[in-house]
Amino acid sequence: MSIEEAKDRLLALRDALIRIDSINNVLDALPRLLLETLLIIGIVLGTYTLFSIWYVITMPVRMNFLSTIGALISIALLLAIPAYVYLRIERLSKVMDRYANWIEVINRGISGILEILSTLDFVSIEYRINRARAGYILFIVVKLLALAILLLIIASFVTFWITAIFGYAEPPTWLFATITIIIIIIVTLGLEWDSLVNDVKRLWSLSGLIIELRWLYHELQGIQT
């Protein structure tokens, strides 16, 4: 393996490790994210329930106002929850780059490459890779589902207002609803497709890269000695 090839392998590993760290970071935070989501729903619904009890006791005549508030809260939750989950995952995916100095070190040549390879814990790296692989389906399903639900709700609201403005009183048919869902799925996959393909390539092509880097490390050690 030439020096340039070794540099390319290490840079590929660097990019993969950054993404693996971000996936594992999201997986670590998913239980907390679920609790936060349930807590938000619980606080909002609990507040609405207490307000409803107080309102019924003090103003039992004007029940339409209470129904309107309930509808607005439902709409707000339907929009806020998937948006919160998706944006939270995006934020958790942006982990601190612990490999920022690799490029400078790699450019030193054999000594720099050997320096980086000597600091790598291949057992830990393989564990993190396997964990990211095992949890990736959960990671991507939660992320895509949150985005798809958000887009579906927005599309439903837009459709409702368009039909209301143009005077179409009939509700959408099952065929229209099915087409809308299919379009939402296509749009969701389209928005995340590049990220999804790159993740799959990285996660399932790293085993060979790790073997090459192990071999390179031992080879360079032999040259140094």
Side-chain angles (χ1 to χ4, degrees):
M1 183 185 297
S2 67
I3 298 299
E4 291 302 318
E5 288 176 335
K7 288 181 180 180
D8 291 340
R9 298 290 193 281
L10 279 175
L11 290 176
L13 178 64
R14 174 184 177 273
D15 293 340
L17 288 177
I18 292 173
R19 185 55 178 162
I20 287 168
D21 288 346
S22 70
I23 293 171
N24 283 324
N25 192 44
V26 173
L27 293 175
D28 289 337
L30 277 181
R32 182 178 177 181
L33 180 59
L34 175 61
L35 289 177
E36 289 174 352
T37 303
L38 293 176
L39 184 62
I40 293 171
I41 295 173
I43 290 173
V44 173
L45 293 182
T47 303
Y48 174 70
T49 301
L50 292 175
F51 173 76
S52 300
I53 294 172
W54 172 82
Y55 191 84
V56 169
I57 293 173
T58 57
M59 303 179 189
V61 189
R62 301 175 58 188
M63 297 300 293
N64 289 336
F65 174 74
L66 195 62
S67 301
T68 303
I69 293 296
L72 291 175
I73 289 175
S74 300
I75 293 171
L77 282 176
L78 286 173
L79 283 170
I81 293 303
Y84 173 75
V85 172
Y86 181 79
L87 293 175
R88 191 86 170 89
I89 290 176
E90 282 288 292
R91 184 177 178 182
L92 289 167
S93 297
K94 293 177 173 60
V95 296
M96 183 176 63
D97 185 359
R98 298 185 296 169
Y99 318 97
N101 67 327
W102 275 32
I103 297 176
E104 180 183 348
V105 178
I106 288 171
N107 287 332
R108 296 176 191 167
I110 294 179
S111 61
I113 293 171
L114 186 58
E115 179 182 339
I116 290 178
L117 289 173
S118 63
T119 61
L120 294 179
D121 184 351
F122 288 105
V123 175
S124 173
I125 290 173
E126 289 177 346
Y127 168 77
R128 285 149 58 194
I129 292 170
N130 291 331
R131 186 172 184 269
R133 284 175 178 172
Y136 187 72
I137 293 179
L138 177 61
F139 164 83
I140 200 66
V141 165
V142 173
K143 185 178 181 181
L144 292 181
L145 189 61
L147 180 59
I149 292 173
L150 180 62
L151 292 176
L152 181 60
I153 293 168
I154 293 174
S156 299
F157 286 155
V158 171
T159 303
F160 171 79
W161 286 111
I162 289 176
T163 54
I165 290 171
F166 288 98
Y168 296 109
E170 294 184 3
T173 62
W174 65 269
L175 180 60
F176 178 81
T178 303
I179 293 173
T180 301
I181 291 173
I182 292 173
I183 292 174
I184 292 299
I185 292 173
I186 293 173
V187 171
T188 301
L189 289 175
L191 291 173
E192 295 291 330
W193 186 254
D194 288 341
S195 176
L196 179 61
V197 171
N198 289 333
D199 286 343
V200 171
K201 286 180 178 178
R202 284 171 180 164
L203 290 175
W204 276 268
S205 65
L206 281 175
S207 297
L209 180 59
I210 296 297
I211 293 172
E212 288 182 351
L213 291 175
R214 280 179 182 270
W215 174 82
L216 176 63
Y217 176 57
H218 293 299
E219 186 181 65
L220 291 179
Q221 274 188 321
I223 292 174
Q224 292 286 80
T225 55

